[in-house]
Amino acid sequence: MGATGARRRASSFTVPNNPVTVGIVLRWSALGSLVICVVLVLVLPWPLPYEQPIEEIMQDRSSHLQEQCQTILDHGNLSASSARTLKPQYLYYNYFYQPQFQMLWCSINKVASSSWMYQFNRWAGVSREKIAQAARDMKALARMYYPVPTRADVEQIKRNVDLPVIRFLLVRDPMDRFVSAYEDLIVRPQSDNYLTLRRFIFREVYGLDTPSGSENGTSPPVPSFSDFTEFVLRRPNVLDPHWDTYYNLCDPCFLQPTVIVKLETYDRDVAHLLQLAHVPTGADNYDNARGKAFEGHRLNVNHHRASGDTLHRNASTIDRLAELTKEQFERLYRRYELDFRLFQYDASHYFAMYGTD
């Protein structure tokens, strides 16, 4: 009797053999799978990172830029702080035409410009030793081999459909770039010019060469980020290329770049650019300043800057911006608003810091 009861209890745990019951279980399982898929589609970012083909990404960036430029042309949608201030004859001083690989590059300081200036010099046949001697002014060295193009030159390059030229520039989050300029030029100046600039900053903000209570030393004390920001905002005529706007430096609406490299996706974007230009991967054609062949990762002289963790860099930017008042930040954003718009950078997380929509 005990054995029979045990067998009966064991049989109560077996899978039901009723076809109707099995069908219900399968239908509910299918429904559950469908619900999970729907939830994943709604929750996960779309498109997933790097899922979109790089060709489409570049086309989207170029198309967006052209749409914004057309809006500016149609409506004159330029604030006074965003309007171009450079004289026309200087507009193309940052353009470099590389005939070997059919590239037209607009150089922007604080966006891997040293790396690319190094590479353009190497493509011109300049030795590493000579570049090292001119490390502080690689741009002047490059100009010996790449004359400044005229507007007519660029127009002709753009019209040449038989031998298309890759027009490109590199950008990064404008606030990241502005903070980087402060860190590299004001906190850790590499030349006497920027040491002297410290005094000008204090004079502009406080009316004297050093702030009240500062001790006189061999070099001026470091202005705060707030002081530096106030100086830049008050002196729009000080057009230092390290913090001048992309719009002012490159006239992107005229250049109409076919490739826009972003520092945030640098490795992927540069690999695409080099593939388009058919740049061979040997060290003679793509130099990383260490004498090694290009491995497909990064054009580098200052490779540590380009490869730094994006979240870490942005956290540093957030920390610096937190030193500003809401009014200062809003004025700073207006200075760079056009750069944000043209190159699809979102400033909402910055405004959220100040409770501003």
Side-chain angles (χ1 to χ4, degrees):
M1 185 68 177
T4 301
R7 283 195 297 272
R8 288 175 180 172
R9 286 192 298 271
S11 66
S12 65
F13 290 96
T14 58
V15 177
N17 201 24
N18 188 333
V20 176
T21 304
V22 173
I24 292 173
V25 171
L26 291 176
R27 282 196 295 273
W28 277 106
S29 298
L31 181 61
S33 299
L34 179 61
V35 170
I36 291 173
C37 290
V38 170
V39 170
L40 289 176
V41 168
L42 293 176
V43 171
L44 290 177
W46 190 261
L48 293 174
Y50 292 80
E51 182 175 348
Q52 187 181 11
I54 184 63
E55 294 80 8
E56 291 183 12
I57 292 173
M58 290 302 168
Q59 182 58 50
D60 287 348
R61 291 176 182 177
S62 296
S63 298
H64 176 85
L65 175 64
Q66 293 176 24
E67 291 170 3
Q68 292 295 314
C69 290
Q70 190 61 46
T71 299
I72 293 169
L73 180 65
D74 293 342
H75 305 288
N77 192 1
L78 273 177
S79 66
S81 59
S82 298
R84 184 178 294 110
T85 51
L86 286 179
K87 296 179 180 179
Q89 61 265 36
Y90 299 123
L91 280 178
Y92 313 110
Y93 184 69
N94 294 314
Y95 285 23
F96 291 80
Y97 171 57
Q98 216 296 327
Q100 179 183 359
F101 299 114
Q102 289 297 294
M103 291 176 163
L104 179 62
W105 166 51
C106 183
S107 168
I108 297 176
N109 291 68
K110 304 305 301 172
V111 194
S113 59
S114 296
S115 299
W116 282 90
M117 204 65 70
Y118 178 96
Q119 187 59 53
F120 266 60
N121 276 304
R122 291 292 292 141
W123 281 332
V126 184
S127 69
R128 298 188 189 95
E129 292 74 21
K130 188 172 182 179
I131 295 174
Q133 293 172 2
R136 291 288 180 85
D137 201 357
M138 283 194 289
K139 190 171 188 176
L141 178 62
R143 276 293 172 227
M144 297 173 62
Y145 306 93
Y146 302 98
V148 179
T150 65
R151 186 180 182 89
D153 293 333
V154 179
E155 289 280 18
Q156 184 177 359
I157 287 173
K158 290 163 62 178
R159 288 195 301 266
N160 192 346
V161 294
D162 295 329
L163 190 61
V165 173
I166 300 170
R167 305 185 300 275
F168 77 99
L169 49 74
L170 294 88
V171 296
R172 65 193 292 191
D173 182 298
M175 292 300 173
D176 280 342
R177 176 173 173 257
F178 185 73
V179 169
S180 179
Y182 169 73
E183 298 285 356
D184 287 352
L185 302 176
I186 307 302
V187 177
R188 297 180 297 273
Q190 299 298 311
S191 71
D192 291 339
N193 289 338
Y194 288 103
L195 279 174
T196 302
L197 181 62
R198 289 181 178 181
R199 297 188 185 277
F200 282 108
I201 292 173
F202 286 128
R203 189 179 304 166
E204 177 65 37
V205 177
Y206 299 103
L208 63 166
D209 285 352
T210 55
S212 178
S214 297
E215 296 180 0
N216 293 325
T218 56
S219 64
V222 180
S224 69
F225 181 68
S226 176
D227 293 337
F228 171 67
T229 301
E230 192 63 31
F231 171 80
V232 171
L233 293 173
R234 291 186 188 181
R235 290 296 189 102
N237 59 318
V238 180
L239 299 175
D240 189 291
H242 295 87
W243 61 77
D244 202 358
T245 66
Y246 301 148
Y247 182 78
N248 211 13
L249 290 168
C250 280
D251 195 3
C253 292
F254 170 67
L255 177 63
Q256 297 177 326
T258 52
V259 173
I260 298 173
V261 174
K262 292 193 173 185
L263 201 64
E264 294 81 5
T265 50
Y266 184 87
D267 292 347
R268 179 199 64 186
D269 296 354
V270 169
H272 173 69
L273 171 62
L274 296 176
Q275 184 178 19
L276 282 179
H278 304 291
V279 177
T281 57
D284 291 339
N285 296 298
Y286 195 91
D287 197 324
N288 68 358
R290 296 183 181 180
K292 298 178 182 178
F294 171 60
E295 298 177 353
H297 297 296
R298 176 177 302 111
L299 186 152
N300 83 54
V301 166
N302 298 324
H303 66 277
H304 57 283
R305 296 183 184 179
S307 63
D309 179 72
T310 301
L311 292 176
H312 175 73
R313 291 200 311 270
N314 195 256
S316 174
T317 299
I318 293 293
D319 290 342
R320 285 300 185 188
L321 292 178
E323 299 175 25
L324 305 181
T325 66
K326 178 180 177 180
E327 184 266 345
Q328 278 182 312
F329 170 74
E330 290 176 347
R331 289 162 58 209
L332 183 63
Y333 173 75
R334 286 195 296 271
R335 171 67 64 86
Y336 295 100
E337 180 178 7
L338 202 55
D339 288 349
F340 275 92
R341 285 173 46 195
L342 291 175
F343 298 104
Q344 296 174 287
Y345 281 105
D346 181 17
S348 60
H349 58 297
Y350 296 133
F351 280 100
M353 295 169 52
Y354 305 92
T356 303
D357 295 330

